[in-house]
Amino acid sequence: MTLTLTLPPKLEALLRQRAESTGQDITSIALAVLAFGLSFDESDFFEALEGIQHGLDEFDRGQFSSLEEFIDRQNQKYGLSLEP
């Protein structure tokens, strides 16, 4: 089946960047992303998208923490002893 999609410029740039960085062609990357996204059931898919968008919005506002801070919070929250 042939399908033509018009992507927003930022999304196309990300897709091309991923293809170049992994040495794969852009079609293979697009198919992998679509397959991954479609593997979720509807509620999980949209919850994941909302969580990702929330994280990106926080990052754009400069609201993020270091990996070490994240690991410390997870250790405290779940009684773990992970190290960075």
Side-chain angles (χ1 to χ4, degrees):
M1 173 178 148
T2 300
L3 176 67
T4 302
L5 298 172
T6 302
L7 301 175
K10 284 184 178 181
L11 186 56
E12 181 181 353
L14 288 171
L15 193 59
R16 289 188 183 284
Q17 180 183 6
R18 181 58 54 95
E20 289 173 14
S21 71
T22 61
Q24 297 181 7
D25 67 276
I26 196 166
T27 301
S28 296
I29 296 294
L31 289 173
V33 169
L34 282 170
F36 178 72
L38 294 171
S39 69
F40 292 98
D41 69 32
E42 274 187 43
S43 63
D44 288 344
F45 177 75
F46 288 108
E47 285 179 24
L49 285 181
E50 287 176 16
I52 291 167
Q53 187 60 58
H54 179 74
L56 290 172
D57 292 343
E58 285 183 343
F59 184 81
D60 286 344
R61 290 190 302 269
Q63 298 172 329
F64 54 90
S65 57
S66 69
L67 176 60
E68 289 79 12
E69 291 169 325
F70 173 77
I71 291 173
D72 286 343
R73 280 196 312 274
Q74 299 309 304
N75 284 341
Q76 291 174 7
K77 186 174 181 179
Y78 299 107
L80 303 172
S81 58
L82 303 172
E83 294 182 22

